[in-house]
Amino acid sequence: LSLQSIENLIRYIVVGVLVLIDLIIILKTKSICKKRPKNKHSKRLGYIIFMVIYTLICAFVGIVIFYLYGKLSNMNKSQILYSSSVVVMANNEAQKINDIVDYKIGVLDKNNKKSPDGYIIPQEIIKENKLYDDNELVDYGDYQSMITDLYAKEIDAVILPTDYASMFKTITGYENIESDTKIVLTKEKKMKKAATSLVETESTGKNITEPFTMLLMGIDSTDEVLSKNAVANGDTLILITFNPKTLNATMLSIPRDSYVPIACWSNKAENKITHAAGYGNDCMMNTIEEYLGINIDYYAKINFKGLVKLVNAVDGVEIDVEQTLCTDDSSRDGQICINPGLQTLDGEQALVYARNRKALVNGDFGRNQHQQEIVMALANKIKTISSVSKFMEILDTVSNSLDTNLTTQQMLAFYNVAKDIVKRSLSSDEADIINIQQLYLAGNSQMIYDERMRMVLYNYIPNENGRKDIIQAMKENLELADHTPITEFSFSINEPYEKEVIGKGPY
């Protein structure tokens, strides 16, 4: 009964048969006890053997189902361990919280009151340690201004999410923020995601058989288990639309430096989209939704270890590597390099391919392209899996390293999508049953003065016409706009055919 939406008719028939067998067992037990037949020993022995076999079969099937259900449920981590820290500059004399007296302490204002590690826990730290008695609390609307003032010595301390270093180390001037600062107090608190986030409940009742959108976010975390709140650093943002009826998908990588209005900031000030990542899933998803005019139904966050394990679980992914690439491994313990050529990459090698940016001529755009290639290669591998044990291995692999707002029943509903893919693949000669349309956000580079960071930073200004074309393509796939198919086209046999990339231009 837990496996809703999977082979309903067969399941109900099986349930009916099991109930019938149970009734027969009850009646048979009463009959044996009442009649006390002469050959009772042999009859009871046969009955006991049947009961043992029947019980073992039911127990085995039950364990498998509960194991599957448990692993799927674990992907939606309903409770997350959030953490906030009191931070000062490394040369500050304070070593513990009691040393903070007559300090100016930067904290997020009430506009962020739903943020667990940005407001809720910091307020508890202030109350528990009575920081309001001998200190001045200074309200801020964002982390960027707080950090900037801390470095400028305009304030003496700040209260930030504990993994603040991941949020700022990619910003020019703050590469060494981990050694420039120190933590004098940390407080952790386990909270329900649904209590502080709207995106956790918005799509609970949505049917997975209808067209939907999903945001894939990469987490800068080397932990084995994704149980703590980890910052999606904005380096990996892939927005996917999928139509289960047509098996068509669109895939858009959003450049980390895209200059867009940040939904959770006052007056929705424009800034790099990567800066929305530190304010939680709601801020990032609302920022993308408002910019593209597309509702995001689901999200999935995966960390370094999760990607490595997932690629290894499908026995690697085939990628045509264009040049030698090197980065540190998933534990940041040593360097791994991959050489040019068509090859099957294991998990650590795939992570190198997905993370590398500085060695590429086109930088962040090249990395976005690589990440899309990894996603498509994984999809191609997963759709060929027919072994139950292999599927269970993959499920076990990603269960700990992935977090999503998909409910268990919605995840189970993907069975019907997979079943449809298998049916179509058997009746079609096409290699790719799922058609993935890659989208590209065209734009221009521009240096802009950041008022919060008080410095000129590189930004990427998306092209408005490109944005409109991307929105149109996504809405067509989601059946929110009419699609006009191309009925004919011409090409020259002397020139290689290149598939059109929507959003790339020229504009």
Side-chain angles (χ1 to χ4, degrees), residues 114-395:
K114 284 193 174 181
S115 173
D117 47 5
Y119 185 84
I120 296 173
I121 299 177
Q123 290 300 315
E124 291 181 0
I125 290 175
I126 292 168
K127 186 176 180 181
E128 290 169 4
N129 296 278
K130 298 181 179 179
L131 296 179
Y132 46 74
D133 283 349
D134 302 313
N135 302 284
E136 180 186 345
L137 301 178
V138 183
D139 287 340
Y140 285 87
D142 57 88
Y143 299 131
Q144 280 76 2
S145 300
M146 290 168 62
I147 287 290
T148 302
D149 282 355
L150 180 67
Y151 268 71
K153 297 183 179 179
E154 293 185 20
I155 55 176
D156 306 296
V158 292
I159 307 181
L160 297 168
T162 302
D163 52 1
Y164 65 93
S166 297
M167 297 160 55
F168 290 96
K169 66 184 179 183
T170 57
I171 300 174
T172 304
Y174 296 92
E175 296 90 347
N176 300 316
I177 189 170
E178 205 159 3
S179 58
D180 290 343
T181 60
K182 65 181 179 182
I183 294 173
V184 295
L185 176 74
T186 294
K187 177 180 172 63
E188 295 181 337
K189 184 176 184 178
K190 187 168 279 191
M191 298 178 67
K192 288 185 177 180
K193 289 191 297 184
T196 57
S197 171
L198 291 174
V199 302
E200 301 302 327
T201 54
E202 278 182 340
S203 296
T204 301
K206 190 175 177 69
N207 192 339
I208 210 74
T209 57
E210 297 299 318
F212 63 87
T213 53
M214 176 174 283
L215 180 65
L216 303 182
M217 295 183 278
I219 301 299
D220 189 359
S221 165
T222 58
D223 294 338
E224 289 286 344
V225 180
L226 199 62
S227 58
K228 290 185 178 180
N229 183 44
V231 174
N233 58 19
D235 285 359
T236 304
L237 295 170
I238 302 177
L239 182 60
I240 294 173
T241 70
F242 183 68
N243 191 325
K245 303 171 188 176
T246 61
L247 298 185
N248 287 332
T250 67
M251 188 183 299
L252 171 68
S253 287
I254 303 173
R256 67 186 301 278
D257 296 317
S258 297
Y259 196 68
V260 301
I262 307 300
C264 60
W265 285 9
S266 58
N267 301 322
K268 298 184 180 179
E270 288 181 304
N271 212 289
K272 297 184 183 200
I273 196 168
T274 186
H275 291 166
Y279 298 86
N281 300 333
D282 286 47
C283 184
M284 177 58 79
M285 291 174 71
N286 289 338
T287 296
I288 296 173
E289 284 179 342
E290 291 178 13
Y291 182 67
L292 295 176
I294 298 288
N295 183 59
I296 301 175
D297 298 308
Y298 312 110
Y299 72 81
K301 302 200 302 190
I302 192 166
N303 62 3
F304 291 167
K305 295 285 188 184
L307 178 63
V308 170
K309 286 191 243 177
L310 179 56
V311 172
N312 287 336
V314 298
D315 301 323
V317 289
E318 190 174 70
I319 298 290
D320 190 1
V321 182
E322 72 273 24
Q323 68 181 78
T324 300
L325 298 170
C326 299
T327 61
D328 48 4
D329 63 18
S330 61
S331 300
R332 295 201 175 103
D333 289 334
Q335 193 176 68
I336 293 178
C337 296
I338 52 176
N339 297 315
L342 182 63
Q343 57 196 287
T344 298
L345 303 180
D346 64 21
E348 291 288 355
Q349 292 171 327
L351 184 62
V352 172
Y353 192 72
R355 286 179 62 201
N356 211 296
R357 171 175 60 126
K358 294 181 180 178
L360 303 176
V361 175
N362 51 352
D364 197 38
F365 297 97
R367 176 169 62 180
N368 290 345
Q369 177 69 27
H370 287 183
Q371 290 169 354
Q372 288 194 18
E373 288 176 25
I374 294 290
V375 171
M376 289 190 289
L378 279 168
N380 286 330
K381 266 301 188 70
I382 291 171
K383 75 182 183 184
T384 62
I385 292 171
S386 55
S387 166
V388 175
S389 61
K390 194 65 175 174
F391 173 74
M392 299 296 270
E393 180 188 343
I394 293 170
L395 195 62

Side-chain angles (χ1 to χ4, degrees), residues 69-99:
Y69 197 86
K71 289 296 180 181
L72 289 176
S73 298
N74 191 48
M75 289 187 195
N76 185 333
K77 294 166 177 57
S78 59
Q79 288 194 325
I80 294 289
L81 186 64
Y82 296 95
S83 178
S84 300
S85 297
V86 179
V87 180
V88 297
M89 296 303 292
N91 57 6
N92 191 293
E93 294 180 355
Q95 298 297 324
K96 54 185 185 297
I97 194 67
N98 293 336
D99 296 334

